[in-house]
Amino acid sequence: MWELLTCEKPFRGLLEYDLVTGVCDKGLRPIFPPGSPASYATLAQQCWANDPAQRPTAAQVCALVWEWACCSSPLLFCRTHGMSEHVCVW
């Protein structure tokens, strides 16, 4: 979700071993940029929970995304990507 929002690769410059140990052993996670939709960042953080029982189910994720698409302001975030291309999270 972070990559979709930022159009960037997280942890650039980190060696593969350091990335694996950072994520698996130290809970390393990318930081959402300022201005990110709070509900979007919160969902990503919930999906990163160490305990799988604490993560939302696929049905819960689908229901939330459906709610965003149908019941919220239509565009949650749109970021300019390049000269004329936009990457949008709905």
Side-chain angles (χ1 to χ4, degrees):
M1 291 178 67
W2 184 90
E3 291 177 63
L4 290 173
L5 185 70
T6 64
C7 299
E8 297 176 4
K9 188 174 183 178
F11 312 116
R12 284 179 291 177
L14 206 58
L15 297 174
E16 187 174 332
Y17 174 81
D18 294 330
L19 175 60
V20 170
T21 58
V23 170
C24 295
D25 298 337
K26 300 175 184 170
L28 180 65
R29 300 292 188 259
I31 297 171
F32 280 84
S36 299
S39 58
Y40 189 81
T42 297
L43 176 60
Q45 291 161 355
Q46 290 170 345
C47 291
W48 294 335
N50 287 331
D51 180 1
Q54 298 300 312
R55 298 176 196 151
T57 65
Q60 290 169 322
V61 171
C62 287
L64 184 56
V65 171
W66 182 259
E67 182 181 325
W68 290 342
C70 296
C71 306
S72 299
S73 60
L75 184 61
L76 291 177
F77 187 85
C78 191
R79 173 188 187 106
T80 302
H81 182 69
M83 294 294 283
S84 61
E85 182 182 354
H86 293 278
V87 176
C88 300
V89 176
W90 297 89

